[in-house]
Amino acid sequence: MNAPHSSPSATASQAAHRPIQALPDQLISQIAAGEVIERPSAVVKELLENALDAGSTQITVRLEQGGVKRIAITDNGRGIPPEQLPLALARHATSKIASLTDLENVSTLGFRGEALASIASVAQLTVTSRTADAAHAWEITGSQFGTVAPASGAQGTTIDVQDLYFNTPARRKFLKSEQTEYGHCAEIVRRIALARPDVSFSLSHNGKTVDHWNVGEFARRSAHILGDEFANARLPLDENAGPLRLHGFVGLPTASKARADGQYFYVNGRFVRDKLLTHAVRAAYQDVLHGDRYPSYALSLDLDPALVDVNVHPSKIEVRFRDGRAVHQFVFHAVSRALAQTSAASFGNLPQQPGGEMAAAAPSAQPAAGGANAPLPWMREQQQQTFSAQFAEQPRPFSFGGNSGFGVRQNPQAYGAMFRDERGNARSEAGSGMPPASAGMPSFGAAPSQAMAELPAGDFPLGFALAQLHGIYVLAQNSAGLVVVDMHAAHERILYEQLKTALDGNEMFVQPLLIPVTFYADPVEVGTVEEHQDTLSALGFDIAVMSPTTLAVRAVPALLKNADAQTLARDVLRDVREYGGSRVLLERRNELLGTLACHTAVRANRSLTLPEMNALLRQMEATERSDQCNHGRPTWTQMALSDLDKLFLRGQ
């Protein structure tokens, strides 16, 4: 009869009666290896960090069987003198720190001095190294007690790790398939290569070269690693604030992914997965990205090493900031400003407006007084008027942008145009079908031919409207080719940004209704109105309780005056009831304003006149984040002439 297995409680009881004793060095190293060397990719990470700390400019990574059979990393760094090779394999022996002050100001990637000892405890390890002044290389095998012997090799260091976990087979059982382990190793190489474009990297697996990155610019390295989709839809970012600098690229919402595998964040050159930083970036994207999508970015935060603690996790992938709130706010605002750029500006510059003020929408433009979303000077008058009123069904043509809207035609012969005569009075060409002078069309010259010569299509990034397609899309021509605009999505973004600006500046203008809109309300809705009058007033709504079952909407935000008052009121009351008044204004404000903007934006199948379409384009050029609607969908796309030529085989 077989003896029964010992129960866990019995084993614990036996261990409790053992005397306290010092653990053997080998067991200590194996315990440390359990924390540091989780899988082959952890070995790759530690060895690559050591290679970079040694000043390498060329690094080669060779893997076999996903790194389980072999990991060999060769660099051209400073090398290790032969007398220090045994110390390199000893626990807690390092050249990178010597005191607590060094630890608190560590600027190297590695600093604990336990990686090589931990690796040597669970694998067959050989270190071959040569310094610049040595006649030949030297190598040591096994552990710190191995023999240092002459070897061949160029300047630098080669660390060869074979048969990972050969002496701890139980741990080897937890490893995944060869391809899975290789995938983790390759991702580590990509992370580190992205942080150091000044270093060339080469990666091979089972004798086949998989990837190679030459020394180059960060833009090129990030395009290579994150792919063409990211490279074609990214925005540069480089901002400073005191001791903080954030630089790199943030992807447009069109480059978002279903998984968070396109996110690379570095702190002082070290790849990190920090909840504070991730939250800051995610918050910056909330206005332009759907909730189930993940942005792509490659960002690096540089700061004084004394302001960040990198010694909070064995794998050094987490950090702790001395002033986490300040870092969070800096990253959030820096990314928000980058995303607020209007990419349409890359196709041209907004022209100088009457009065001499330049309508700059370039990324470097400083926000006007009143907040980051404050209107440009020449747009202020327009932004005090509602879009929805101008888009309401009316039999006469009108300007989408109010009295300062634009209706300039790119082809005056086909459409006609309005210009001023020699006395400064507005006139229109016969048969042009243009709106009357009260529409406020701008003056660009004395004659159509002169006007078009002075105002080429390239002066307006989104060009000039040609037609409307199926009541959904606006077709426009600019200097690059054809622009297609989703009019509802574009108008939604414009309204949303205006609502945010008005709420931030406490300038939510109210439009009293001539006849209040009454509707049946349940007791919860009535109670919400009674309890949250201040919140409703701040949002521009005047809702009164007429009876225990009746509410009356007496005023709405001027920007939304043509929307369905009852629907707007119910949406506001629902959010206020669900989240509370103060939370709606602080945390849920953007979602609420986005809903209101969506209700009010011009709908599909709404026929627009050419002046309306052109005014929509001009407003898009002057509106932050106008490249995407509130749900992260693109509002416009560009088709270059070369793309159209390819469709029709021109020049072939």
Side-chain angles (χ1 to χ4, degrees):
M1 183 175 179
N2 295 329
H5 293 290
S6 298
S7 66
S9 58
T11 302
S13 177
Q14 294 172 3
H17 288 84
R18 292 175 183 163
I20 298 174
Q21 56 186 341
L23 296 176
D25 286 342
Q26 178 71 4
L27 182 57
I28 292 173
S29 295
Q30 289 177 339
I31 292 173
E35 296 179 344
V36 179
I37 313 302
E38 302 174 277
R39 60 196 328 158
S41 60
V43 175
V44 174
K45 174 181 179 293
E46 296 292 340
L47 299 185
L48 284 178
E49 289 180 346
N50 283 343
L52 291 173
D53 287 340
S56 306
T57 59
Q58 296 177 1
I59 299 178
T60 301
V61 181
R62 290 169 290 166
L63 305 174
E64 293 181 16
Q65 297 182 16
V68 178
K69 179 65 176 176
R70 187 184 188 196
I71 300 171
I73 295 183
T74 301
D75 66 61
N76 66 341
R78 290 184 292 271
I80 306 172
E83 66 275 11
Q84 293 184 15
L85 283 174
L87 275 176
L89 301 183
R91 293 183 60 249
H92 302 308
T94 178
S95 62
K96 299 167 186 177
I97 60 171
S99 65
L100 180 60
T101 301
D102 293 339
L103 182 61
E104 292 177 344
N105 293 273
V106 65
S107 58
T108 52
L109 297 174
F111 54 86
R112 288 187 175 138
E114 59 182 329
L116 290 180
S118 298
I119 296 169
S121 69
V122 293
Q124 299 286 353
L125 182 143
T126 300
V127 179
T128 305
S129 191
R130 178 180 176 181
T131 58
D133 57 353
H136 55 78
W138 297 82
E139 73 175 21
I140 184 171
T141 301
S143 70
Q144 68 182 101
F145 304 108
T147 302
V148 178
S152 61
Q155 179 183 338
T157 302
T158 296
I159 299 183
D160 196 340
V161 181
Q162 300 190 38
D163 296 324
L164 192 62
Y165 301 130
F166 80 99
N167 58 353
T168 53
R171 182 170 296 163
R172 195 165 187 170
K173 294 179 182 178
F174 287 95
L175 298 178
K176 304 299 182 182
S177 68
E178 175 180 326
Q179 282 304 310
T180 297
E181 295 301 337
Y182 165 72
H184 286 290
C185 292
E187 175 61 18
I188 290 295
V189 178
R190 283 192 292 268
R191 290 176 184 175
I192 294 178
L194 182 58
R196 295 296 302 270
D198 58 324
V199 178
S200 69
F201 291 82
S202 182
L203 171 64
S204 66
H205 185 222
N206 293 335
K208 180 181 179 181
T209 298
V210 179
D211 240 323
H212 181 81
W213 299 283
N214 292 319
V215 174
E217 298 295 328
F218 180 69
R220 182 179 178 184
R221 180 70 59 88
S222 61
H224 190 165
I225 292 177
L226 274 75
D228 291 339
E229 184 178 4
F230 177 79
N232 295 329
R234 62 184 178 181
L235 295 169
L237 187 158
D238 194 343
E239 289 209 16
N240 294 272
L244 305 176
R245 181 195 177 203
L246 184 67
H247 55 100
F249 293 97
V250 291
L252 292 171
T254 52
S256 64
K257 309 181 73 174
R259 298 185 302 167
D261 58 354
Q263 301 179 350
Y264 295 84
F265 210 116
Y266 301 87
V267 175
N268 289 343
R270 184 190 309 276
F271 177 85
V272 299
R273 287 207 181 279
D274 183 80
K275 292 181 179 179
L276 180 143
L277 297 174
T278 301
H279 181 272
V281 177
R282 183 72 185 183
Y285 272 92
Q286 68 177 354
D287 265 2
V288 294
L289 196 63
H290 195 275
D292 61 354
R293 302 288 293 177
Y294 294 90
S296 296
Y297 51 82
L299 294 171
S300 182
L301 177 66
D302 298 337
L303 72 165
D304 186 339
L307 300 178
V308 57
D309 184 2
V310 298
N311 192 28
V312 296
H313 191 275
S315 65
K316 303 188 290 291
I317 202 171
E318 298 177 9
V319 295
R320 183 182 294 117
F321 297 100
R322 296 286 177 88
D323 190 348
R325 178 177 176 80
V327 171
H328 182 282
Q329 289 299 99
F330 170 66
V331 172
F332 167 73
H333 288 295
V335 176
S336 295
R337 281 189 287 270
L339 293 174
Q341 300 174 17
T342 301
S343 291
S346 65
F347 290 96
N349 299 314
L350 292 180
Q352 186 160 326
Q353 300 303 313
E357 291 184 294
M358 184 68 70
S364 60
Q366 297 297 318
N373 294 321
L376 297 168
W378 62 278
M379 297 295 293
R380 288 176 184 150
E381 180 182 353
Q382 291 175 274
Q383 293 193 341
Q384 291 175 355
Q385 304 186 34
T386 175
F387 291 113
S388 53
Q390 296 153 352
F391 268 122
E393 294 293 342
Q394 301 183 35
R396 63 179 179 82
F398 52 86
S399 170
F400 173 80
N403 289 335
S404 53
F406 298 91
V408 181
R409 298 291 191 268
Q410 187 171 1
N411 187 340
Q413 287 73 27
Y415 299 112
M418 175 172 285
F419 302 95
R420 298 189 180 276
D421 59 23
E422 62 277 3
R423 292 175 295 181
N425 297 321
R427 62 178 178 84
S428 62
E429 283 192 11
S432 67
M434 292 295 293
S438 60
M441 309 305 292
S443 170
F444 289 103
S449 59
Q450 295 176 359
M452 298 314 299
E454 295 173 5
L455 187 65
D459 282 347
F460 285 107
L462 295 180
F464 297 90
L466 300 174
Q468 191 176 13
L469 182 65
H470 289 290
I472 300 174
Y473 301 104
V474 172
L475 306 182
Q477 174 181 324
N478 66 357
S479 59
L482 177 67
V483 174
V484 183
V485 177
D486 183 331
M487 66 184 194
H488 172 77
H491 189 210
E492 183 179 354
R493 167 59 69 179
I494 292 169
L495 279 173
Y496 175 52
E497 293 297 334
Q498 286 193 320
L499 287 169
K500 287 199 303 181
T501 300
L503 189 58
D504 289 342
N506 295 319
E507 295 180 351
M508 188 69 80
F509 296 105
V510 174
Q511 174 64 53
L513 302 182
L514 184 62
I515 301 176
V517 176
T518 60
F519 60 94
Y520 172 81
D522 59 40
V524 176
E525 289 176 323
V526 172
T528 302
V529 171
E530 293 175 337
E531 294 174 17
H532 298 285
Q533 277 294 334
D534 291 343
T535 299
L536 295 173
S537 296
L539 292 169
F541 287 88
D542 181 2
I543 305 176
V545 178
M546 306 305 292
S547 76
T549 59
T550 306
L551 294 176
V553 183
R554 299 187 298 198
V556 296
L559 290 168
L560 312 178
K561 67 181 181 181
N562 271 28
D564 183 274
Q566 178 180 335
T567 302
L568 289 178
R570 287 190 182 278
D571 283 341
V572 170
L573 293 178
R574 183 190 64 244
D575 281 2
V576 170
R577 178 176 69 250
E578 184 173 353
Y579 301 109
S582 60
R583 190 179 175 198
V584 161
L585 290 177
L586 293 176
E587 300 177 25
R588 310 291 302 189
R589 163 197 97 135
N590 290 346
E591 292 94 327
L592 174 59
L593 297 182
T595 299
L596 300 181
C598 187
H599 278 309
T600 314
V602 59
R603 296 296 180 182
N605 299 319
R606 163 72 167 90
S607 179
L608 302 183
T609 65
L610 283 169
E612 290 173 329
M613 289 185 253
N614 279 318
L616 174 61
L617 301 179
R618 302 293 79 79
Q619 289 282 23
M620 290 175 63
E621 292 163 347
T623 299
E624 292 182 345
R625 305 175 183 88
S626 63
D627 293 345
Q628 293 83 31
C629 75
N630 312 336
H631 311 293
R633 296 189 299 271
T635 58
W636 68 281
T637 187
Q638 174 83 50
M639 292 188 68
L641 281 175
S642 58
D643 296 330
L644 296 173
D645 289 342
K646 290 178 182 177
L647 289 176
F648 296 97
L649 305 180
R650 289 180 61 87
Q652 298 185 21

